[in-house]
Amino acid sequence: MADPRRVDLDEIVLHFHELEDPRSSINLQHPLTSVIAIALMAILAGAAGPTAIARWAVMKEAFLVRVLDLPNGIPRKDVFRRVLMALKPDAFQSCFAGWLRSLRATAEAETGIEQPVLAVDGKTARRSHDRKNGLGALHSVSVWASEYGLSLGQVACAEKSNEITAIPELLRQVDIEGAIITIDAMGTQKAIAERIVEGKADYVLALKGNQGTMHQVVINHILEQWEDDFAGVDAGRHQTVESGHGRRETRTYIQLPVPQDLPGLRSWNGLKSIGIAVSESVRDGKVTDEVRYYISSLAIDVQRFARAVRSHWGIENGCHWTLDVTYREDESRIREKCLRENMAWLNRLSLSLLKQHPGRESVAMKRRSCGWSEEFLLQVIVGSTN
């Protein structure tokens, strides 16, 4: 009788079959699909590089030979390193597209959210530089479906300023139709707004001083309307109050139609509204506040605007913070270009899988559980709780 665990993993491994093997066919001992599956499982269990992946695999040999095609036993660390160095990052990511579509469809059905917020932001792996060989630290831009807990794509760029060129490439990789795309001020560019609209999505883009005149016009317009409590415009207002951990935070969101004197209005594809988010925090009697301004293709619906603004920070809190604190990604000293990009993607994919697991434990505890329990590991990787 077939091992049900083998059958479950075979369904996952099918996603890798179209990936071209970069290795020479001479003396090829380990199937590419099995090498990738082991790498992903090891990272779920806490591994952070080829050496740790190989070490975990050796310790789990009895389990792995039952659930994967391993005719010559467990690969050595050099196999994992060579494979992850040789695979082109864009091709490597694309082989997971079908799996991600399935995870996204399941998350949409479970949450009931039909217009998800897809947050786009950059992150630097600060210790991944190699100054001796002229390699800067890895800076990548990724898409995070905050309400689903899914990383949908990643593009590496040489410097942070190159986010402007990396974001359109990233948006072409991901199915954005019907979503709300949120980006910080770095990505508030006409070409990016146009790409989003072409992809049949909406946008909420942050404004800062780098937008010059437009930023100031938006500020002036909102302040002017605020003087008579927005009596002259069709504005929406929404406020939330949260308390916890000794802090009380009040967030006020206001959205109003775009002013017709906004500089370059006609060159911003789909632009319909502007907005402001004011956050006031009180802790130990000390008050701090923060004000952010936005432009958006959304029609006036302030609760939807507020959801988009608030969900954007999910990429920092739910993704980047976890990668740094739990995965220790910021401390990684992997310096080979393709290897570090592929490891960064496996980190994000494994984080997505852990967040889909219905258990209420922290991501850190779930990773430990993947290392301790083969059954728990299979629950996470095949999306089953049986």
Side-chain angles (χ1 to χ4, degrees):
M1 183 175 179
D3 185 339
R5 297 178 297 182
R6 176 64 177 267
V7 173
D8 285 339
L9 272 187
D10 282 347
E11 294 175 0
I12 298 300
V13 167
L14 280 174
H15 292 293
F16 314 144
H17 273 300
E18 294 185 2
L19 185 62
E20 183 178 349
D21 196 329
R23 298 171 295 173
S24 168
S25 59
I26 300 173
N27 197 30
L28 197 62
Q29 297 185 21
H30 307 287
L32 178 65
T33 53
S34 296
V35 173
I36 294 173
I38 291 173
L40 177 57
M41 286 191 284
I43 290 169
L44 280 166
T51 300
I53 291 169
R55 178 64 175 163
W56 177 86
V58 168
M59 298 181 72
K60 293 292 184 178
E61 181 174 8
F63 162 66
L64 292 173
V65 296
R66 289 200 308 271
V67 298
L68 292 171
D69 181 17
L70 292 167
N72 295 298
I74 300 298
R76 295 177 301 173
K77 69 177 182 181
D78 290 341
V79 174
F80 294 106
R81 178 175 291 275
R82 284 198 300 268
V83 166
L84 292 173
M85 284 178 62
L87 286 171
K88 300 292 185 184
D90 55 347
F92 187 46
Q93 281 190 57
S94 68
C95 79
F96 294 95
W99 194 357
L100 286 171
R101 280 194 297 271
S102 175
L103 291 172
R104 183 172 174 176
T106 299
E108 180 178 326
E110 290 179 349
T111 62
I113 297 172
E114 296 180 356
Q115 189 179 29
V117 176
L118 305 185
V120 177
D121 199 13
K123 180 181 182 300
T124 302
R126 301 187 184 281
R127 290 180 56 81
S128 61
H129 59 81
D130 186 356
R131 293 193 181 94
K132 182 178 179 181
N133 292 306
L135 183 66
L138 171 64
H139 185 81
S140 58
V141 182
S142 57
V143 176
W144 179 255
S146 302
E147 295 138 323
Y148 297 162
L150 280 174
S151 186
L152 300 177
Q154 166 190 291
V155 169
C157 47
E159 301 292 343
K160 189 165 185 177
S161 60
N162 288 342
E163 285 187 16
I164 295 172
T165 57
I167 290 172
E169 181 183 347
L170 178 61
L171 294 175
R172 280 189 287 270
Q173 292 182 5
V174 176
D175 179 11
I176 64 173
E177 184 173 353
I180 301 172
I181 310 301
T182 61
I183 312 177
D184 65 16
M186 175 69 72
T188 303
Q189 306 289 329
K190 296 181 180 71
I192 291 174
E194 184 171 0
R195 174 70 196 97
I196 293 169
V197 173
E198 288 174 351
K200 299 180 180 179
D202 281 298
Y203 59 80
V204 174
L205 306 178
L207 284 176
K208 283 188 178 178
N210 64 327
Q211 291 300 325
T213 304
M214 183 173 70
H215 183 220
Q216 193 59 51
V217 168
V218 168
I219 294 174
N220 292 343
H221 183 74
I222 291 176
L223 292 178
E224 181 182 344
Q225 300 304 320
W226 208 319
E227 288 180 358
D228 61 358
D229 200 28
F230 302 95
V233 293
D234 179 23
R237 189 185 322 215
H238 178 64
Q239 188 172 84
T240 63
V241 180
E242 296 179 3
S243 299
H245 305 289
R247 183 177 64 179
R248 178 184 173 88
E249 188 158 11
T250 303
R251 295 184 178 90
T252 303
Y253 305 90
I254 299 171
Q255 184 191 21
L256 55 160
V258 63
Q260 293 306 301
D261 62 346
L262 187 74
L265 172 60
R266 293 179 182 176
S267 61
W268 286 90
N269 199 345
L271 181 55
K272 295 177 183 175
S273 62
I274 62 174
I276 182 174
V278 181
S279 174
E280 182 182 85
S281 179
V282 181
R283 183 166 191 159
D284 297 331
K286 183 179 180 180
V287 179
T288 57
D289 56 49
E290 187 171 17
V291 181
R292 299 187 180 94
Y293 297 90
Y294 301 87
I295 60 173
S296 175
S297 66
L298 294 173
I300 301 300
D301 181 343
V302 70
Q303 292 197 12
R304 184 169 58 160
F305 167 72
R307 178 171 69 90
V309 170
R310 185 70 190 275
S311 294
H312 179 78
W313 301 107
I315 195 169
E316 287 291 343
N317 301 328
C319 181
H320 293 170
W321 185 88
T322 304
L323 289 171
D324 281 340
V325 174
T326 302
Y327 283 70
R328 317 295 287 183
E329 188 176 82
D330 213 24
E331 299 175 11
S332 173
R333 294 298 285 138
I334 297 175
R335 301 177 182 183
E336 294 84 358
K337 189 173 185 297
C338 288
L339 175 57
R340 66 182 189 175
E341 289 181 36
N342 289 331
M343 284 296 301
W345 172 245
L346 287 174
N347 285 345
R348 283 154 181 76
L349 177 64
S350 66
L351 174 59
S352 298
L353 293 174
L354 291 165
K355 284 187 172 288
Q356 303 317 297
H357 188 274
R360 301 187 66 177
E361 302 90 347
S362 67
V363 170
M365 182 56 71
K366 287 181 180 178
R367 285 192 93 194
R368 294 188 190 103
S369 298
C370 284
W372 296 330
S373 167
E374 294 160 9
E375 292 301 325
F376 187 86
L377 174 61
L378 286 171
Q379 287 177 14
V380 169
I381 204 167
V382 304
S384 168
T385 56
N386 294 333

